[in-house]
């Protein structure tokens, strides 16, 4: 019995949330649907943990769906990188699900809770599917599943502006998805296969054809749009700001991360580093865009008056660090980028949850409404501040571990001016985090705010789990760095 | 008890104190404060148990976790660190006692929060003292900046907010922009971050770039207050006086110069600096700071600000000692960590006592106060002697060694700088003593009928003044403890 489960683990990874979603609607009642969601997400996270363990010890796990070998059937392909991303996504999904019940009660009418949970699980299934699949077309299918579900998750926000935000997100997402589809189609045209391993074999001989060039261009731009690489990020701030707190935390920690993974997978795993970086020179443009994104988005974050919006722009900047690492196309650089997928997911997820806790009590995320909140809700504020330390890259937080890895990688390539630029960019984070801290600390709370209490435990606990993880892996950074290195090595080595 | 265990206990003790303060809270203030001082008094004896072992060449070492592959969080105690730790540890309970008197005398709000962060920052200072590699040092350096920010901004008003911005703004931008850069550079060049006797850089970094790297360290450790990154220190004076006394005259600022000393001794190595002359520019940068800060101090009427600029000048003495890169220069720098600490904390204690008793903050308002507060001003006099460097106070030793160190480095002009600076010190410090004792009090002072401040604020400056005198006799012991460090052999 156990064997049967373990043998089909890659399938369970996606099937659990995918089939769990409709059951939420059958359960109807908010409490039941929530309990079911928690159960499913934690089981999914457990799958991912086991997968990571297994793949770190051995080679990639090629799982044939329904026993059909490729190229007839679809295969799932789990290597350490995929398993690491699976664990990030499902882990955050599991922690955030604990938070969902109470937070949603304040933001969404109860008759729609079951729909929300269904969309949540579908989105999770889509993200996991994109990560685990070894089939290029399958990536697109799961991309659409997760995207459609996330438009719903955003559109259910408490504010009517959530609808326009979701609409913009939809337009950008549809464009990105279509681009990726076109790219995959062209690659299929040249090679006659959709299996990633086969593609990787058959693309190099034809790599000088214009078709392959165009297909790679479409995929790169499509993925960059979906992962909100500056200046293709315009859909992101509104979507994060007006979505329900649960959505903001979940989407910010997972969906852009998976797209970064997809970009890395296509660039290194399918088209290959010699083609994408040596021949086409993708590295420098990505580096420039990443660095500009870090500076511009951080600067914009400084001037935001809404905390969620501030965090959204900060996310655009932080994505820049991931792309910066990947743009080096060295094992150390890619490892730094992959490492930041995890470190930023827990940090930013925790911060969005902390802000959500404040919003639950005060009904607002605007800075002017949060004046003096540090005195009324010290525990939530402390979680936010510790998360903020992570964004700055203060030692003993996960953000520092990333920064260290990134600086090391940049220095090894002789790019010390970029390393200096990265260091200086942290100072912008000091300013925007400091702005929130000052608001929370230097004002007398208003009468209305003074009447509020600290957020309830079921909101604080998930926020602190994520922030706690960012602190734990800020101290035991060697472990996450080790996993990220292993993942990067295998990705670049083509193993 | 083994060495590593003692290190852990010493690091935990201030945190336990912090927890104690938080748990007892405002409603049991006497229990809170009594426990705090009692726990604080345990720290120095605990560290003192390590002195024989370290003096005999032992280096208690403890490796905790790996922050990143090849970059462990590690503690290793050597004489310089022990001296710095002992200074912070001995002055902490005295300042805690003083703080109780001061905050109560001022009816300060949020005393519990104050003491929580106050105790926690001692732990951060000890982390710096114990650091066994550059990464560990950097970690606690940043923790110290962040844990003292709530103390600087304690009053939570507009002035505190502004000061807090300058404080973190300068300390964080230099530590991230320069110090961390220097550390990454060192790591990439040498592949290690450990502190090794004799240094690790030789042969790994181009000779022409060594002055640049040294500059990144010297200005990156802005807690040392080398001009032009000194602005945070006068700003931090808005904090309650116990903070100015212990943190901004001892623990925090000494963390900066300690970093520079450690880097010079254990990362660059004296031989490398002497051979390449990479630190000659730093001697003159320090000399400039010494003179400029003393001149600025002369113009300050606000007593705490005057003391702050005096601190900037005195810290530059230690940087100068490091830059000389001669055995005597470094001994003088190491000694001055101790001597200046005892002297300057006395001066701050007195400034605070005067504030509590008379609410006066400016030097010009202190005219004639000596006859109402004789003990306070006597302590101020002794502290001044030590800062100036006159016998029979401890400060004379460090200035002596700095002078001979400058001669060893063949820089007689720097001896002149030291002498001019001493004259300037006399001018701005004895000015206070003279005004208080030898000028007749104006009518307003006579009518007010001032008395000495409460016992809790009066006794600590007397203790530290006595300590300054004792250090004149005990200077040789500190020198003996430190000598192996500069000899190049562990």
């Amino acid at each position: 019995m156990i064997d049967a489960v373990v043998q089909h683990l890659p399938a369970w990874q996606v099937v659990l949330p995918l089939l769990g979603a409709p059951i939420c609607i059958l359960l109807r009642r908010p409490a039941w649907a929530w309990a079911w969601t928690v159960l499913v997400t934690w089981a999914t996270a457990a799958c991912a943990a086991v997968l990571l363990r297994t793949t770190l010890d051995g080679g990639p796990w090629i799982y044939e769906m329904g026993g059909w070998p490729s190229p007839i059937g679809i295969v799932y392909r789990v290597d350490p990188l995929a398993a690491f991303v699976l664990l990030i996504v499902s882990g955050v999904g599991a922690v955030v699900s604990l938070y969902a019940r109470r937070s949603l009660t304040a933001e969404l009418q109860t008759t729609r809770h079951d729909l929300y949970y269904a969309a949540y699980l579908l989105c999770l299934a889509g993200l996991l599917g994109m990560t685990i699949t070894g089939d290029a077309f399958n990536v697109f299918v799961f991309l659409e599943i997760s995207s459609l579900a996330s438009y719903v998750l955003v559109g259910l926000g408490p504010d009517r502006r959530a609808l326009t935000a979701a609409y913009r997100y939809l337009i950008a997402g549809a464009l990105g998805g279509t681009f990726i589809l076109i790219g995959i189609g062209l690659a299929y045209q040249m090679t006659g296969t959709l299996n990633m391993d086969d593609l990787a074999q058959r693309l190099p001989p034809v790599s000088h054809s214009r078709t392959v060039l165009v297909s790679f261009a479409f995929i790169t731009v499509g993925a960059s749009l979906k992962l909100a690489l500056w200046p293709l990020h315009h859909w992101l701030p509104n979507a994060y700001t007006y979505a329900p707190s649960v959505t903001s935390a979940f989407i910010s920690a997972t969906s852009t991360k998976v797209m970064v993974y997809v970009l890395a997978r296509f660039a290194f795993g399918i088209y290959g580093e010699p083609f994408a970086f040596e021949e086409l020179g993708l590295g420098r443009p990505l580096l420039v865009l990443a660095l500009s994104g870090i500076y511009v988005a951080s600067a914009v974050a400084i001037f935001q008056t809404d905390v969620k919006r501030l965090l959204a722009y900060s996310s655009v900047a932080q994505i820049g660090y991931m792309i910066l690492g990947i743009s080096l196309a060295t094992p150390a650089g890619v490892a730094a980028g992959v490492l930041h997928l995890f470190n930023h997911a827990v940090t930013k997820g925790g911060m969005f949850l902390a802000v959500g806790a404040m919003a639950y009590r005060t009904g607002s995320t605007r800075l002017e409404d949060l004046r003096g909140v540090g005195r009324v809700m010290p525990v939530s504020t402390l979680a936010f501040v510790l998360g903020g330390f992570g964004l700055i890259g203060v030692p003993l937080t996960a953000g520092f571990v990333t920064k260290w890895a990134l600086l090391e990688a940049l220095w090894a390539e002789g790019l010390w001016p970029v390393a200096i630029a990265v260091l200086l960019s942290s100072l912008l984070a000091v300013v925007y985090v400091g702005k929130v801290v000052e608001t929370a600390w230097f004002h007398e709370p208003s009468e209305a705010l003074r009447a509020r209490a600290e957020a309830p435990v079921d909101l604080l606990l998930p926020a602190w789990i994520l922030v706690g993880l960012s602190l734990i892996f800020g101290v035991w950074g060697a472990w996450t760095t080790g996993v990220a290195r292993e993942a990067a090595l295998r990705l670049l080595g083509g193993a | 008890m083994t060495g590593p265990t003692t290190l852990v206990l010493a690091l935990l003790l201030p945190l336990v104190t912090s927890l104690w303060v938080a748990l007892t809270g405002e409603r049991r203030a006497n229990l809170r404060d009594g426990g705090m001082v009692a726990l604080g008094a345990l720290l120095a004896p605990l560290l003192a148990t390590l002195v024989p072992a370290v003096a005999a060449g032992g280096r208690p070492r403890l490796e905790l976790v790996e922050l990143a592959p090849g970059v462990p969080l590690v503690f290793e105690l050597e004489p310089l660190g022990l001296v710095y730790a002992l200074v912070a540890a001995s002055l902490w309970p005295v300042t805690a006692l003083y703080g109780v008197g001061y905050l109560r005398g001022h009816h300060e709000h949020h005393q519990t929060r104050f003491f929580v962060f106050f105790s926690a920052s001692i732990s951060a200072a000890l982390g710096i003292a114990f650091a066994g590699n550059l990464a560990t040092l950097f970690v606690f350096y940043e923790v110290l900046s962040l844990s003292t920010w709530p103390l600087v901004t304690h009053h939570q008003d507009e002035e505190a907010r502004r000061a807090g911005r300058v404080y973190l703004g300068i300390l964080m931008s230099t530590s991230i922009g320069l110090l961390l850069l220097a550390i990454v550079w060192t790591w990439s060049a040498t592949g290690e971050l450990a502190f090794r006797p004799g240094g690790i850089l030789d042969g790994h970094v181009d000779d022409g770039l060594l002055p640049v790297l040294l500059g990144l360290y010297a200005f990156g450790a802005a807690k040392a207050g080398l001009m032009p990154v000194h602005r945070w220190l006068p700003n931090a004076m808005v904090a309650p006086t116990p903070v100015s006394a212990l943190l901004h005259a001892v623990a925090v600022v000494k963390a900066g110069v300690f970093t520079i000393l450690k880097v010079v001794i254990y990362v660059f190595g004296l031989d490398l600096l002497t051979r390449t002359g990479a630190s000659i520019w730093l001697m003159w940068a320090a000399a400039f700071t010494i003179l400029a800060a003393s001149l600025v101090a002369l113009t300050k009427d606000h007593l705490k600000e005057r003391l702050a600029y005096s601190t900037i000048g005195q810290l530059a003495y230690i940087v100068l000692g490091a830059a000389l890169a001669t055995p005597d220069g470094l001994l003088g720098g190491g000694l001055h960590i101790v001597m200046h600490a005892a002297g300057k904390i006395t001066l701050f204690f007195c400034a605070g006592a005067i504030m509590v008793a008379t609410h006066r903050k400016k030097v010009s308002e202190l005219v004639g106060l000596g006859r109402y507060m004789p003990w306070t001003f006597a302590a101020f006099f002794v502290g001044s002697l030590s800062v100036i460097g006159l016998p029979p106070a401890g400060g004379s030793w460090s200035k002596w060694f700095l002078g001979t160190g400058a001669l060893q480095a063949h820089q007689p002009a720097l001896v002149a700088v030291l002498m001019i600076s001493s004259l300037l010190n006399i001018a701005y410090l004895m000015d206070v003593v003279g005004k208080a004792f030898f000028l007749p009090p104006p009518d307003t002072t006579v009518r007010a009928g001032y008395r000495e401040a409460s016992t809790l604020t009066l006794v600590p400056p007397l203790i530290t003044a006595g300590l300054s005198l004792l250090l004149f006799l005990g200077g040789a012991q500190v020198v003996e403890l430190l000598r192996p460090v500069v000899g190049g052999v562990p």
Side-chain angles (χ1 to χ4, degrees), chain B residues 73-124:
Chain B
L73 196 68
V74 58
F75 297 117
E76 185 175 315
L77 190 64
E78 44 72 61
L80 194 63
L82 180 60
V83 166
Y84 169 50
L86 271 173
V87 168
S90 335
L91 294 176
W92 174 38
V94 185
T95 315
L97 195 68
Y98 177 83
V100 172
Y102 181 89
L103 292 190
R104 291 187 183 185
H106 262 261
H107 306 291
E108 286 280 357
H109 63 147
H110 293 115
Q111 295 185 9
T112 302
R113 185 185 74 204
F114 179 88
F115 284 123
V116 164
F117 285 107
F118 192 79
S119 309
S121 36
I122 298 301
S123 192

Side-chain angles (χ1 to χ4, degrees), chain B residues 349-373:
Chain B
F349 281 163
C350 293
I354 296 165
M355 251 195 269
V356 171
T358 68
H359 298 288
R360 293 184 176 186
K361 299 175 177 172
K362 295 192 171 162
V363 177
S364 54
E365 296 169 344
L366 305 181
V367 172
L369 269 181
R371 64 184 70 175
Y372 302 99
M373 306 179 68

Side-chain angles (χ1 to χ4, degrees), chain B residues 137-200:
Chain B
L137 191 144
F138 181 74
V139 165
F140 286 96
Y141 185 96
E142 293 293 61
V143 173
L144 186 59
S145 304
L146 292 168
S147 61
T148 47
W149 182 80
L151 298 170
V152 172
T153 60
H154 183 74
H155 291 130
Q156 286 177 278
D157 52 14
E158 200 45 46
E159 196 191 0
R161 174 196 182 117
R162 195 187 47 76
R165 280 187 180 180
V166 176
Y167 187 76
L168 269 199
I170 294 185
L171 289 183
M172 295 289 276
S173 53
T174 50
S175 65
I176 293 177
L178 305 174
L179 184 57
L180 185 55
L181 182 66
I183 294 175
V184 173
W185 186 351
T186 309
W187 166 247
S188 305
T190 66
E192 63 176 333
L193 292 173
F195 293 124
R196 284 196 202 295
I200 56 175

Side-chain angles (χ1 to χ4, degrees), chain A residues 192-208:
Chain A
T193 179
L194 288 168
N195 181 285
M196 287 184 181
D197 285 336
D198 293 345
L199 277 169
Q201 299 267 324
R202 295 186 201 172
L203 275 172
V206 291
S207 67
H208 289 286

Side-chain angles (χ1 to χ4, degrees), chain B residues 265-402:
Chain B
I265 298 174
Y266 295 112
V267 176
F268 282 84
L270 302 192
D271 296 339
L272 181 65
L273 288 177
T274 319
R275 181 167 59 75
T276 58
S279 63
I280 290 177
W281 70 270
L282 186 58
M283 296 177 200
W284 293 102
F288 172 79
T289 304
I290 291 175
L291 293 179
S294 298
L295 287 171
V296 176
L298 271 178
T299 68
K300 293 289 175 188
D301 191 30
H302 190 287
L303 181 55
K304 276 175 74 178
E305 276 186 35
R306 182 179 291 194
L307 294 179
Y309 273 98
S310 161
T311 303
I312 294 169
Q314 299 292 320
L315 292 170
Y317 276 77
I318 304 174
V319 178
L320 174 64
L324 289 172
T326 54
D328 275 12
L330 287 161
L331 268 185
L335 264 183
H336 207 49
I337 287 188
V338 185
M339 304 306 177
H340 174 253
K344 190 51 72 60
I345 201 170
T346 310
L347 299 184
F348 272 109
F349 281 163
C350 293
I354 296 165
M355 251 195 269
V356 171
T358 68
H359 298 288
R360 293 184 176 186
K361 299 175 177 172
K362 295 192 171 162
V363 177
S364 54
E365 296 169 344
L366 305 181
V367 172
L369 269 181
R371 64 184 70 175
Y372 302 99
M373 306 179 68
W375 288 105
T376 306
F377 280 97
F380 195 96
F381 175 68
V382 174
S384 302
L385 283 185
S386 192
V387 171
I388 297 163
L390 292 175
S396 17
W397 288 119
S398 39
K399 305 251 160 136
W400 170 265
F401 277 105
L402 284 170

Side-chain angles (χ1 to χ4, degrees), chain A residues 209-220:
Chain A
S209 66
R210 187 164 296 167
T211 317
V212 173
L213 280 179
V214 172
S215 89
F216 184 64
F218 267 112
I219 287 176
T220 310

